[in-house]
Amino acid sequence: MTTTIETAPLVPGTVILDEEVGARGPWSAVVVAGDVLTIVDLCGNQAVDTLIYAADDHRQRYSAAATVSAQRNLFLTKGSVLRTDDHDALMTLVADEVGSHDTVGGACSQESNTLRYGHHTKHQHACVENFLAEGSRWGIGKRDLVSNINFFMNVPVDADGTLGIVDGLSAPGRRLALRAERDVLVLVSNCPQINNPCNGFDPTPVRMIVTRPTGAQA
């Protein structure tokens, strides 16, 4: 994809990995402790569904409940620590050009699409299918999937608990940066949803850049 959008890593360092994830596609990589993953929303308003596991023990994985409880905030932003059920730190959101990311909207699936949007959506590709296809490379199956993060997705929650998926807060080239607090496996579905505004009804590519701080050992 040719773009004039600035796609430099948000936190300076030596680039270890730099990959573009196509619209609707999955992605995964191990990010070692101390390295920083920058996610770039290339075209704006693209939801990036994300799961995080300890690289050496996939039973240690991102917990929405523990993360929200520890920070006393439903939404993720700079300074948020992504935690396991045991409240151990997996990654920290060290920089953020958007300011709010969803923890409660979950991942779309063929089943949920059918329930929400009608039987004609039954065969549309969805995030759960992306997670399962990519996760199989690492021995991750359906029983290992938990409530995920939706980076760049806007899900406001009213005082009575009502929530809805609405137009995103991001824009072309907006970035966030996650520092690994231990070696982690990051599993992503670049959301293929076309039935609600989470992607502006038009899924687009994102970019994943892993950097290592200057002077850090390989």
Side-chain angles (χ1 to χ4, degrees), residues 15-207:
V15 175
I16 303 300
L17 179 148
D18 186 348
E19 296 180 344
E20 186 172 298
V21 186
R24 302 179 174 86
W27 179 88
S28 63
V30 171
V31 183
V32 304
D35 285 0
V36 177
L37 170 63
T38 294
I39 305 178
V40 186
D41 187 3
L42 290 172
C43 301
N45 288 352
Q46 173 59 39
V48 181
D49 291 40
T50 305
L51 290 167
I52 304 167
Y53 302 83
D56 61 350
D57 183 359
H58 296 161
R59 294 170 299 178
Q60 300 297 312
R61 54 205 177 198
Y62 168 75
S63 167
T67 299
V68 167
S69 174
Q71 70 172 12
R72 302 180 65 83
N73 191 330
L74 271 180
F75 305 104
L76 304 178
T77 189
K78 182 179 178 180
S80 294
V81 180
L82 312 181
R83 300 182 181 275
T84 69
D85 279 330
D86 295 329
H87 285 254
D88 293 330
L90 291 168
M91 304 187 87
T92 300
L93 188 53
V94 293
D96 180 15
E97 295 181 329
V98 176
S100 181
H101 306 271
D102 171 60
T103 63
V104 296
C108 60
S109 67
Q110 291 177 332
E111 294 83 358
S112 66
N113 281 344
T114 302
L115 179 64
R116 293 172 178 171
Y117 308 114
H119 191 74
H120 67 283
T121 68
K122 180 178 180 181
H123 299 293
Q124 290 179 0
H125 194 57
C127 284
V128 168
E129 285 67 45
N130 269 344
F131 282 145
L132 292 174
E134 189 70 13
S136 66
R137 298 178 52 217
W138 307 92
I140 289 173
K142 199 161 191 177
R143 66 187 299 174
D144 302 306
L145 301 187
V146 294
S147 297
N148 58 283
I149 302 161
N150 292 307
F151 286 119
F152 303 114
M153 188 163 144
N154 187 18
V155 184
V157 179
D158 294 337
D160 64 359
T162 302
L163 59 83
I165 299 170
V166 300
D167 288 340
L169 303 173
S170 187
R174 293 284 176 87
R175 300 166 293 175
L176 61 88
L178 296 156
R179 183 183 65 227
E181 305 300 346
R182 61 187 292 178
D183 294 358
V184 294
L185 169 64
V186 181
L187 183 60
V188 158
S189 170
N190 192 25
C191 184
Q193 182 61 256
I194 57 173
N195 301 292
N196 68 50
C198 73
N199 298 323
F201 301 100
D202 181 24
T204 53
V206 296
R207 193 165 178 176

